[in-house]
Amino acid sequence: MTIGQYYPSNSVVHRADPRFKLLILILFIVTVFFCESFFSFGFMTFFVIVTILLARVPILKVLKGLKMIIIIVLITTLLMTVFYTDPNSKPLAEWGIFHIYLNGIYAAIKLAWRLLLLVLMPTVLTLTSTPTELCDGLESLLSPLKKIKFPVHELALIMSIALRLIPTLIEETDKIMNAQKARGAAFESRNPFKKIKAMLPVLIPLFVSSFRRADDLADAMDSRCYRGAKGRTRMKKLHCRVSDVVALLFWCAVTVCVLFLNYNWFGWGFIAALGL
């Protein structure tokens, strides 16, 4: 699992301001939801690949982040394909109450593509930014909310701790499962009820371990005299660079291009000819 893990490198993406990386991620997510054509999806995928190459992160390491949702994507794609209805066209295949339409296949592919993109970019963000950087960036972006007494620092701290502990909990789960397998747990059984029963000896030690880690963390913070955000300073201050502004403006331009490709505001014929 790659979400929550940091891959050290000296790339331009690693050196970028975390505030701008968070803004670009939000802009990217909004843009992906506006994608309606295969051309626009391919357009966004191209820039995601360029971002991965600029980050100097192994592509296989990024693709590992897709393992946790691949089952969800496959199930969602299958359900979209068999339950899609299109009264204006003839189904390609029929089986009882299920009908498969060509437009249903297209819609299922677009949905799966959208889900994969929505996981890829956050994975790149966590691989190129430490939890501390993301915490500082989020706190800086939400700092105007302090005027209405919103607990910005506490929210950023919770997010930072969660990102840091995700890989640790996954590793702990793997250790517990291996220990239970050695005791004869039926994780490989095809019977779903036996699988659920076998997971109980995993969940209970995992909860106990999680609470123990939370208690240790609270003791560590208390021993370092942590008393909230008031009066605290940062060792590394965030600095905005020209390259960060350029990157944000570039992704704004990408969003405009995607909107133009989807809606063709000026009615240009070559876009309609591409089937967009």
Side-chain angles (χ1 to χ4, degrees):
M1 185 173 182
T2 55
I3 288 183
Q5 297 183 1
Y6 174 70
Y7 184 84
S9 181
N10 192 28
S11 68
V12 64
V13 181
H14 283 76
R15 295 192 301 269
D17 191 307
R19 295 171 295 182
F20 284 85
K21 286 195 278 190
L22 288 170
L23 289 175
I24 289 173
L25 177 64
I26 295 172
L27 188 63
F28 173 83
I29 292 174
V30 172
T31 307
V32 167
F33 278 107
F34 274 104
C35 290
E36 296 292 342
S37 63
F38 288 111
F39 191 85
S40 58
F41 277 109
F43 190 70
M44 295 297 294
T45 305
F46 170 76
F47 288 111
V48 170
I49 295 174
V50 171
T51 303
I52 295 173
L53 295 177
L54 289 176
R56 298 179 185 176
V57 176
I59 295 182
L60 290 179
K61 191 173 185 64
V62 178
L63 293 179
K64 284 183 179 179
L66 302 178
K67 290 171 61 177
M68 63 179 182
I69 68 157
I70 194 66
I71 300 299
I72 297 176
V73 170
L74 292 177
I75 294 175
T76 306
T77 303
L78 178 63
L79 293 177
M80 175 67 77
T81 303
V82 298
F83 287 107
Y84 185 89
T85 57
D86 187 1
N88 297 323
S89 62
K90 186 177 180 181
L92 297 176
E94 297 183 25
W95 184 58
I97 62 172
F98 303 113
H99 300 78
I100 298 178
Y101 296 89
L102 182 61
N103 289 335
I105 296 175
Y106 289 159
I109 294 174
K110 291 176 183 178
L111 179 62
W113 204 338
R114 180 177 284 112
L115 291 175
L116 294 177
L117 288 176
L118 290 175
V119 173
L120 272 177
M121 205 61 169
T123 302
V124 175
L125 175 67
T126 56
L127 287 172
T128 58
S129 308
T130 63
T132 303
E133 290 176 345
L134 294 176
C135 174
D136 294 342
L138 181 63
E139 184 177 354
S140 178
L141 290 175
L142 298 179
S143 56
L145 296 178
K146 293 180 180 179
K147 296 180 179 180
I148 59 174
K149 305 299 182 180
F150 187 82
V152 174
H153 176 76
E154 287 74 12
L155 177 64
L157 181 64
I158 291 171
M159 189 200 75
S160 176
I161 293 174
L163 287 175
R164 174 61 186 86
L165 290 182
I166 284 174
T168 304
L169 291 178
I170 295 297
E171 183 180 356
E172 189 76 17
T173 304
D174 188 54
K175 290 180 180 179
I176 295 173
M177 290 184 68
N178 289 334
Q180 295 296 337
K181 284 180 181 179
R183 294 177 175 88
F187 292 114
E188 307 298 332
S189 175
R190 294 184 179 181
N191 190 327
F193 297 102
K194 288 185 177 180
K195 280 189 174 182
I196 295 174
K197 186 178 179 180
M199 287 301 296
L200 291 177
V202 176
L203 295 177
I204 295 175
L206 183 62
F207 274 108
V208 173
S209 175
S210 301
F211 284 116
R212 185 184 297 116
R213 289 181 183 276
D215 190 54
D216 293 341
L217 178 61
D219 290 340
M221 295 173 68
D222 188 58
S223 65
R224 290 165 175 79
C225 301
Y226 177 80
R227 294 295 183 271
K230 187 175 181 180
R232 293 182 62 85
T233 59
R234 296 189 182 92
M235 184 177 69
K236 295 181 180 179
K237 293 187 176 181
L238 302 178
H239 297 285
C240 174
R241 302 181 181 89
V242 176
S243 58
D244 299 324
V245 179
V246 171
L248 181 60
L249 293 176
F250 172 78
W251 278 100
C252 289
V254 170
T255 302
V256 173
C257 289
V258 170
L259 293 175
F260 177 73
L261 290 173
N262 286 335
Y263 298 105
N264 193 11
W265 292 316
F266 301 104
W268 288 358
F270 76 95
I271 295 180
L274 291 173
L276 303 176

